[in-house]
Amino acid sequence: MTDRVDSRAGPERISSSTQALPFDPSEPLPRLRRELATGPDGLSAREAARRLAVHGPNEVRRKVRSSFARELVGQLVHPLALLLWAAAALAFVADLAVLGWAILAVIAVNAAFALLQERQAERAVETLARYLPEHALAVRDGQPHVVEARDLVPGDLILLEEGDKVPADAHVTEGGVEVDLSMLTGESVPAERIASAGILGAPLLEEPNLVFSGTTCVEGQARAIVFGTGNHTELGRIAALSQRTRREASPLERQVKRVAWLIAGVATGMGVVFLVLGVAVGLPVTDSLTFAIGLLVANVPEGLLPTITLALAVGVRALARRGALVKRLSAVETLGSTSVICTDKTGTLTRNRMRLRALWTVDHGSEPGPWAEDLARAGALCTTVTREADGELHGDPTEAALVAGAANHGAPLDLGRRDAGRRALFRFDPRLRLMSVVQGGETQGGETQGGETRGGKMRGPMRVLVKGAPEAVLDRLLPGTAADSARAAAEELAQDGMRVLAVAVRDVPSGAELPSRRQDAESGLTLLGLVGLYDPPRPEVAEAVRRCHEAGIRVHVVTGDNGATAAAVAREVGIGVPRLHVVAASESLGDDELDRLLVEGDDEIVFARSSPETKLKVADTLREHGRIVAMTGDGVNDAPALHRAHIGVAMGRSGTDVAREAATMVLTDDDFATIVTAVEAGRRVYDNVRKFIVYIFAHATPEIVPFLVFALSAGTVPLPLTVLQILAIDLGTETLPALALGRERSEPGIMQRPPRPRHQGVISRDMLIRSWGYLGLTSAVLVMAGFFYVLWRAGWQPGDPTGTGSPLHHAYVTATTATFAGIVTCQVGTAFAARTDHAALRDIGVFSNPLLLAGIAFELAFTVALVYAPPLQHLFGTAALPLDVVLLVATFPVLVWGTDELRRARRRRQRPSAVPGS
């Protein structure tokens, strides 16, 4: 839909974000024909060819695709990819070719993921193109011809029949059709489009005489003049909006880049500093260079991208089982930082199953009784729904609700007898907002058209039944009828979230002439009463909204529905409690007004009668002010907003293919509660990435401290750790437990904390203090204690030689092995400590992550092999550890974890309201 104040205002009515139409379709038909230079016989073939050259083909055009090579290079020079390139090069330098190729494979996989994500917008536009038919029936030179739809031009006269797809935007000139506009409006009820005058001030999609490219005719026949082709159609406009809104990097992607540069700076700086220090204290240049390379490798987190990818992939699989298909891995984390959810009403907050909820009669109000049954039956008779072979009602959901509601109120209706007793039918007119039928009696004479009798006199009782908008029906009542009380009752029902219809009757005397015109049938009516139809909220939505509010997430409703109805549903599920603001989005909303509504206040808002531009404006405003936005949608017209929001959420059941392609996440159950589940999963993923970073950063300290001790002692203390042992730790024992931390369950209270600020880094000061200060320093003290214990028990004194051939050489090799084993066992304690940020380990369960237990078992087995297997002893410079050293090292995990557990317990006492991630 488009934002416009006056449908007669010319091309300026189109949003400035789209190309203005060269012709105004809402003008009176004679004037439109003059502007298009066409007539009842259509265009000549030669004129159509000339116009095709001027206006171009009638197709959705997409931008030229960017170079694949350029996109690939962009992914390969990502900061973290550069670090991985460096790690691979260092691995090859260290003669670890298998590791080098494995790291190159990681680079390739991550680049492939990113390239697939970038093609998403183009796929959405390609899907839009599939809505256009290949051929159309156009009148050329006064004769119908089948032409290619891409060759249609403004001014062409096209013929439309039941089952046809509309090939271009057109103005109906003869006949009428019912058109399925759900792909544009999201509403499942077919709209009648007839040759008639337009409605002053109506949105373009609500004009009763316009049909739109890509929609489907479900009934009727019509002729129409094409006024818009290609990018000048509603479909083309949406395609242009979709291509204009580029996907931005997710919060995690931005944070990973910052972390990558931080790690690159730290690793490079440390390598250079230790190279210089090593030479300064007398270490041979080759040894200093080797150790600097080891430090660089130790600081490059080769497992960061795989761990993030695994954590996100686990989140994707878990969400798929819960009804949410996530198409971009990074979107899982983005969900976790969501601060605003903009949701549709119908089908998302509600069941999309209309039900008859209330009956109000003139004399008895809402009291039950035979009068209520008469009202329900009369409403059901004034319908055209049919019953399928399986017993399901087919047709307008509102009418299906009337038929089903009549049965529930003791007035079941036989649809076959309804049709057999029908003498005239005047279908719903969107301008009059009325529908009427004539039931009963037998016709004498008259003309039969389309299975319905017109004209002639009737024998037997006959009744006109009318249903429609209360204000339209009440204006046609006999004088003196209680219209005021009916208006008050209708307003009260609407405020309760119901769609209100009035039902009125007029008895036609036996022998009177059958009404042949609707104005004759729909006058002098007597009101039977009002019916209130209700689409009930999903039972789980209220709890989901409550969880959103606990998590600090605001929920806005952006819907095409009436404001009072949408507000009632919103209040019922807890949106806007205690403050709800209702805005008629069909009115022009400026940037200042949106800023005031969305940013300056705390109210939750219902944007009623919303257009695609409204959704896009809301998403842009929220993004501009740093909010992370999740936006739901199901129609083709929602595609631009879905693509622009951080998280576009499409409906899997009721949504269109275009919406699903443009969205980041598809709800297979169309349920709002699933979005909240996804938010929790995203928060868990982000927490797990932080846990992984704490884990790998904590090992930097015990790996660096040994060299600091060696350098600061000017060589009187031998090197407590070798380069190959560092490589064995970082590339062998550390990886699996790090990956397993990506599978951690949520900590208690994860949905009771507010969304994290957009500027918050994935690495915080508290994380660095915890990693390097508490966990790292504790580990460094323990491993150095183990190193010195082995040397001192052998009688070593500072400055004693420990080189090859010296009496203390074996003790030195055993001591470095103790350092290596001590770091590995400290890793075990760090892994258990990193599983929670604030809560106690018992709150999530010691054995609740079997993958972590398996990873720890692997690293311990790998360590035992390096320490006791003779071939590996020779390669890595290790020696078998005596029992007392093994027992000493075995205490390290408990000491590391216990120290951190005490620190967290103290923090919980000091800040009892603190929550994970604080």
Side-chain angles (χ1 to χ4, degrees):
M1 289 181 284
T2 56
D3 286 330
R4 59 177 182 158
V5 177
D6 188 340
S7 65
R8 309 294 182 268
E12 291 75 19
R13 75 189 186 282
I14 305 294
S15 168
S16 60
S17 64
T18 68
Q19 301 181 57
L21 285 172
F23 310 103
D24 182 5
S26 60
E27 291 179 339
L29 184 58
R31 183 175 175 183
L32 181 63
R33 275 185 166 143
R34 286 197 303 272
E35 287 194 1
L36 291 169
T38 187
D41 293 333
L43 302 175
S44 67
R46 294 175 61 184
E47 176 63 20
R50 281 194 293 268
R51 294 190 184 191
L52 183 62
V54 172
H55 296 282
N58 175 38
E59 58 187 10
V60 175
R61 293 188 289 273
R62 57 184 177 85
K63 295 184 296 185
V64 177
R65 179 174 287 182
S66 57
S67 166
F68 176 81
R70 177 178 296 181
E71 292 183 8
L72 179 60
V73 170
Q75 298 303 328
L76 295 180
V77 297
H78 178 281
L80 200 53
L82 292 176
L83 280 178
L84 291 178
W85 283 114
L90 292 174
F92 284 118
V93 168
D95 200 23
L96 295 171
V98 174
L99 172 66
W101 287 114
I103 295 174
L104 292 179
V106 170
I107 296 172
V109 169
N110 283 282
F113 271 126
L115 287 174
L116 289 174
Q117 295 164 13
E118 294 302 323
R119 299 293 182 181
Q120 197 172 58
E122 293 175 0
R123 287 200 303 271
V125 174
E126 289 165 359
T127 304
L128 274 171
R130 293 203 297 267
Y131 277 86
L132 292 175
E134 293 184 4
H135 298 92
L137 190 60
V139 177
R140 298 270 175 89
D141 297 312
Q143 298 296 322
H145 293 278
V146 176
V147 300
E148 290 192 24
R150 71 187 304 274
D151 292 337
L152 289 177
V153 295
D156 257 326
L157 182 64
I158 58 175
L159 307 180
L160 301 173
E161 294 185 349
E162 180 178 335
D164 288 347
K165 276 192 173 181
V166 180
D169 289 5
H171 187 295
V172 178
T173 61
E174 296 180 39
V177 287
E178 286 197 352
V179 185
D180 179 4
L181 294 175
S182 60
M183 59 169 286
L184 293 175
T185 65
E187 298 295 328
S188 58
V189 181
E192 191 174 50
R193 293 293 183 257
I194 57 177
S196 65
I199 301 176
L200 181 65
L204 201 64
L205 288 176
E206 295 181 12
E207 287 281 10
N209 51 23
L210 302 184
V211 291
F212 299 96
S213 174
T215 59
T216 304
C217 299
V218 297
E219 189 177 335
Q221 293 180 328
R223 290 190 171 206
I225 295 177
V226 173
F227 63 81
T229 60
N231 282 357
H232 290 296
T233 63
E234 281 289 298
L235 212 60
R237 181 181 64 82
I238 292 166
L241 286 173
S242 295
Q243 293 183 109
R244 198 170 289 132
T245 55
R246 294 194 59 184
R247 186 185 74 84
E248 295 182 0
S250 73
L252 183 60
E253 289 168 330
R254 292 193 297 269
Q255 293 298 331
V256 165
K257 284 189 177 182
R258 294 190 187 125
V259 171
W261 288 121
L262 172 65
I263 294 172
V266 171
T268 304
M270 287 176 54
V272 171
V273 168
F274 289 142
L275 175 62
V276 174
L277 283 177
V279 173
V281 298
L283 196 68
V285 174
T286 54
D287 290 350
S288 297
L289 181 60
T290 302
F291 201 84
I293 291 174
L295 286 172
L296 285 172
V297 173
N299 281 282
V300 172
E302 293 85 357
L304 181 58
L305 277 181
T307 299
I308 292 174
T309 301
L310 175 65
L312 296 174
V314 169
V316 166
R317 288 197 298 271
L319 287 174
R321 290 193 295 268
R322 302 289 292 275
L325 302 179
V326 178
K327 299 191 295 180
R328 193 172 70 235
L329 288 180
S330 63
V332 178
E333 180 275 335
T334 308
L335 277 161
S337 57
T338 298
S339 56
V340 179
I341 298 175
C342 298
T343 178
D344 282 333
K345 179 186 74 69
T346 304
T348 307
L349 298 180
T350 67
R351 295 174 177 270
N352 198 19
R353 297 176 185 171
M354 197 72 76
R355 295 289 183 267
L356 180 60
R357 183 173 183 177
L359 295 168
W360 180 91
T361 57
V362 176
D363 296 325
H364 301 89
S366 300
E367 295 180 13
W371 43 84
E373 295 176 12
D374 291 344
L375 171 61
R377 182 174 180 80
L381 282 169
C382 193
T383 60
T384 59
V385 293
T386 58
R387 195 177 296 278
E388 301 291 330
D390 58 3
E392 292 292 323
L393 292 170
H394 176 71
D396 186 326
T398 299
E399 295 191 346
L402 290 173
V403 173
N408 294 334
H409 285 80
L413 185 66
D414 185 315
L415 298 184
R417 295 183 63 183
R418 174 203 65 184
D419 295 341
R422 179 162 295 165
R423 304 306 171 203
L425 167 64
F426 301 99
R427 294 184 179 275
F428 178 76
D429 187 320
R431 294 166 300 170
L432 302 175
R433 294 184 293 171
L434 291 173
M435 171 188 173
S436 57
V437 297
V438 181
Q439 294 287 135
E442 297 178 5
T443 308
Q444 294 178 320
E447 180 183 358
T448 301
Q449 295 179 345
E452 296 172 8
T453 303
R454 303 279 179 161
K457 293 187 177 181
M458 301 298 299
R459 184 176 63 195
M462 186 169 55
R463 170 173 273 196
V464 178
L465 301 168
V466 181
K467 81 171 192 304
E471 54 271 29
V473 174
L474 296 179
D475 287 344
R476 288 164 173 78
L477 298 181
L478 289 169
T481 309
D484 291 341
S485 60
R487 286 190 177 90
E491 185 175 343
E492 185 176 341
L493 292 174
Q495 289 175 351
D496 288 337
M498 285 179 262
R499 181 183 181 186
V500 185
L501 297 176
V503 180
V505 299
R506 179 166 66 85
D507 291 323
V508 179
S510 179
E513 190 171 305
L514 179 69
S516 58
R517 300 185 308 167
R518 71 182 310 151
Q519 55 263 45
D520 296 332
E522 296 168 353
S523 61
L525 303 175
T526 300
L527 183 67
L528 280 183
L530 306 173
V531 294
L533 300 162
Y534 188 63
D535 184 8
R538 294 174 180 268
E540 62 275 14
V541 169
E543 172 62 18
V545 170
R546 184 190 65 78
R547 294 182 67 202
C548 283
H549 291 163
E550 285 186 351
I553 299 172
R554 295 173 69 187
V555 183
H556 303 309
V557 181
V558 188
T559 177
D561 280 357
N562 171 273
T565 302
V569 171
R571 291 190 181 96
E572 186 166 347
V573 298
I575 297 174
V577 176
R579 296 182 303 276
L580 182 68
H581 195 80
V582 181
V583 176
S586 57
E587 302 171 1
S588 180
L589 290 173
D591 292 341
D592 292 341
E593 177 69 6
L594 283 173
D595 288 345
R596 184 184 65 80
L597 290 170
L598 293 169
V599 181
E600 297 175 9
D602 294 328
D603 295 359
E604 289 179 323
I605 303 166
V606 171
F607 292 93
R609 301 301 185 195
S610 297
S611 67
E613 283 80 7
T614 303
K615 284 193 169 185
L616 203 53
K617 286 180 180 178
V618 168
D620 276 333
T621 300
L622 290 168
R623 289 183 67 112
E624 182 70 22
H625 291 276
R627 309 297 195 269
I628 304 298
V629 188
M631 175 81 71
T632 71
D634 52 12
V636 170
N637 60 336
D638 293 325
L642 292 176
H643 190 61
R644 179 60 177 156
H646 294 93
I647 297 292
V649 184
M651 302 298 110
R653 291 180 179 175
S654 60
T656 59
D657 290 341
V658 175
R660 287 191 285 267
E661 286 289 355
T664 310
M665 184 171 76
V666 179
L667 302 183
T668 59
D669 53 6
D670 292 9
D671 191 351
F672 177 85
T674 306
I675 304 175
V676 184
T677 300
V679 170
E680 181 176 359
R683 292 189 174 193
R684 183 180 70 249
V685 166
Y686 184 78
D687 284 355
N688 289 347
V689 170
R690 289 165 65 97
K691 292 169 185 177
F692 162 78
I693 292 173
V694 166
Y695 176 74
I696 60 171
F697 273 35
H699 304 147
T701 305
E703 290 174 358
I704 293 168
V705 165
F707 184 76
L708 284 176
V709 171
F710 167 76
L712 294 175
S713 69
T716 57
V717 176
L719 277 171
L721 196 62
T722 68
V723 173
L724 283 178
Q725 287 168 354
I726 288 178
L727 291 172
I729 292 169
D730 290 305
L731 306 176
T733 66
E734 181 180 84
T735 305
L736 284 182
L739 293 173
L741 287 172
R743 298 289 299 269
E744 278 298 332
R745 63 173 58 182
S746 301
E747 286 191 53
I750 193 171
M751 289 296 283
Q752 276 77 51
R753 69 187 189 216
R756 69 176 185 274
R758 190 178 185 182
H759 61 269
Q760 183 188 70
V762 70
I763 297 179
S764 66
R765 185 188 64 178
D766 284 349
M767 286 175 62
L768 295 179
I769 292 174
R770 184 186 183 196
S771 299
W772 292 338
Y774 287 94
L775 294 169
L777 194 57
T778 301
S779 299
V781 169
L782 292 174
V783 298
M784 290 308 299
F787 173 76
F788 286 123
Y789 171 74
V790 174
L791 287 180
W792 284 333
R793 71 194 290 274
W796 172 83
Q797 296 294 323
D800 289 349
T802 56
T804 303
S806 65
L808 292 174
H809 179 67
H810 179 73
Y812 168 69
V813 173
T814 304
T816 59
T817 304
T819 304
F820 164 72
I823 292 177
V824 172
T825 54
C826 285
Q827 281 181 329
V828 175
T830 301
F832 278 105
R835 292 184 63 193
T836 63
D837 180 70
H838 179 77
L841 181 60
R842 65 176 179 275
D843 292 336
I844 62 170
V846 177
F847 304 106
S848 60
N849 189 340
L851 186 61
L852 178 64
L853 300 178
I856 290 172
F858 170 80
E859 73 171 332
L860 292 177
F862 182 73
T863 301
V864 170
L866 261 64
V867 171
Y868 293 102
L872 296 178
Q873 287 178 339
H874 177 74
L875 178 62
F876 287 92
T878 58
L881 295 177
L883 180 60
D884 59 332
V885 177
V886 172
L887 294 175
L888 174 65
V889 169
T891 63
F892 291 178
V894 177
L895 294 173
V896 172
W897 166 76
T899 301
D900 191 70
E901 188 78 9
L902 292 174
R903 181 192 67 85
R904 281 179 280 125
R906 184 174 66 254
R907 283 167 59 92
R908 288 195 298 272
R909 287 194 298 270
Q910 292 173 349
R911 295 191 298 162
S913 61
V915 291
S918 59

